[in-house]
Amino acid sequence: MKEPLYKRMARELAQDITHGKYPPGALFPTEMELCEIWQVSRHTVREALRELTEQGLLDRRKGAGTRVCEQKHETLNHPLASLEDLLVLAKNNLRVVKKIDEVVADFELSQLIGCEPGSRWLHIASIREDAQQKDAPICWTDSYASTDYAKIRKLVRSDPYSLISDLIEKHYGIKSHEVHQSITAVGVPVKIAKILGVEPGSPAMRIVRRYVDGQGKTFETTVSLHPAGRYTCTIVLKHNGL
């Protein structure tokens, strides 16, 4: 699923705003200036600016120009009603890879990620940065994928906004049919507490996601640890048939 140009433009401009390139209260470049900088049509620029305005990043007033709004630091609240929602979440938060290696699943790991004990897995440890607070990552994630997906080693660094499952689909043709998700309250382990900027043992939400293909086989599992107060997962439950 290719990201529309105006979406990518809006995302990159949002990052410029949150990283301070365009400080609060400053005049934002005009439509014509953005057309020139990005070499895109005015329609694309207007769609990107509309996105930024709806996100509360810009204030557009006729005759007064476009100004950057004051940013509020709030808990990330994200709805999860479809697989596409996971893609949106990833594209708004930079992945920073901390470690890539191969591991042999012991009994405990095999129970967690849904595999046979003794099987080998490509392990990718990373954080997802909060664009507004870089010293307070949204989560630490351990991802486990088949060692057959060797290209993923480089792709996770060269394409830091895509989900690993999305990269596997694009380069290996393995498509997610379902994502099985489980949520548990845990304490933050000592080894990653400093990276997340919290005290060891402090409360966190652990989300395990198993990506399942059309044949019911798990081809990737992610184990994400979200420190308390940094992420809210909103899920809507409906009656069957509605």
Side-chain angles (χ1 to χ4, degrees), residues 24 32 48-49 94 101 108 110-111 142 181 192 195 216 242:
M32 293 306 296
L49 292 177
L94 177 71
D101 60 359
E108 183 179 358
S110 70
Q111 293 297 297
D142 289 299
Q181 178 172 277
I192 63 172
I195 296 173
L242 295 183

Side-chain angles (χ1 to χ4, degrees), residues 4-47:
L5 179 56
Y6 79 90
K7 288 274 189 183
R8 180 170 69 84
M9 183 178 179
R11 173 168 56 76
E12 293 187 16
L13 287 173
Q15 291 167 14
D16 288 341
I17 291 171
T18 54
H19 293 167
K21 182 176 179 179
Y22 303 108
L27 274 173
F28 205 64
T30 64
E31 290 183 1
M32 293 306 296
E33 288 171 336
L34 289 170
C35 286
E36 175 116 8
I37 294 170
W38 281 76
Q39 293 295 294
V40 296
S41 69
R42 198 159 186 174
H43 173 73
T44 298
V45 169
R46 284 176 175 169
E47 285 298 297

Side-chain angles (χ1 to χ4, degrees), residues 179-236:
V179 177
H180 297 178
Q181 178 172 277
S182 61
I183 302 174
T184 311
V186 297
V188 177
V190 174
K191 64 180 181 179
I192 63 172
K194 186 175 181 180
I195 296 173
L196 292 175
V198 297
E199 291 294 320
S202 57
M205 176 172 63
R206 186 182 72 183
I207 302 178
V208 179
R209 295 187 177 107
R210 297 181 183 178
Y211 292 80
V212 180
D213 63 19
Q215 285 69 51
K217 181 181 178 181
T218 299
F219 65 90
E220 188 214 354
T221 298
T222 63
V223 183
S224 297
L225 205 66
H226 299 268
R230 295 190 190 168
Y231 176 76
T232 299
C233 175
T234 304
I235 301 172
V236 178

Side-chain angles (χ1 to χ4, degrees), residues 94-109:
L94 177 71
R95 176 179 52 241
V96 178
V97 176
K98 296 296 185 180
K99 181 181 181 181
I100 300 178
D101 60 359
E102 288 189 18
V103 298
V104 176
D106 57 17
F107 180 78
E108 183 179 358
L109 181 59

Side-chain angles (χ1 to χ4, degrees), residues 49-106:
L49 292 177
R50 179 183 59 78
E51 287 263 316
L52 295 172
T53 303
E54 289 179 355
Q55 292 174 27
L57 296 173
L58 296 179
D59 180 23
R60 306 187 72 195
R61 298 186 183 181
K62 192 172 182 179
T66 300
R67 291 190 180 274
V68 179
C69 297
E70 292 286 342
Q71 300 306 302
K72 298 178 181 179
H73 298 289
E74 300 176 343
T75 300
L76 177 65
N77 189 322
H78 193 270
L80 289 179
S82 67
L83 299 185
E84 286 70 29
D85 286 335
L86 287 175
L87 297 176
V88 173
L89 176 63
K91 288 184 179 298
N92 288 327
N93 299 282
L94 177 71
R95 176 179 52 241
V96 178
V97 176
K98 296 296 185 180
K99 181 181 181 181
I100 300 178
D101 60 359
E102 288 189 18
V103 298
V104 176
D106 57 17

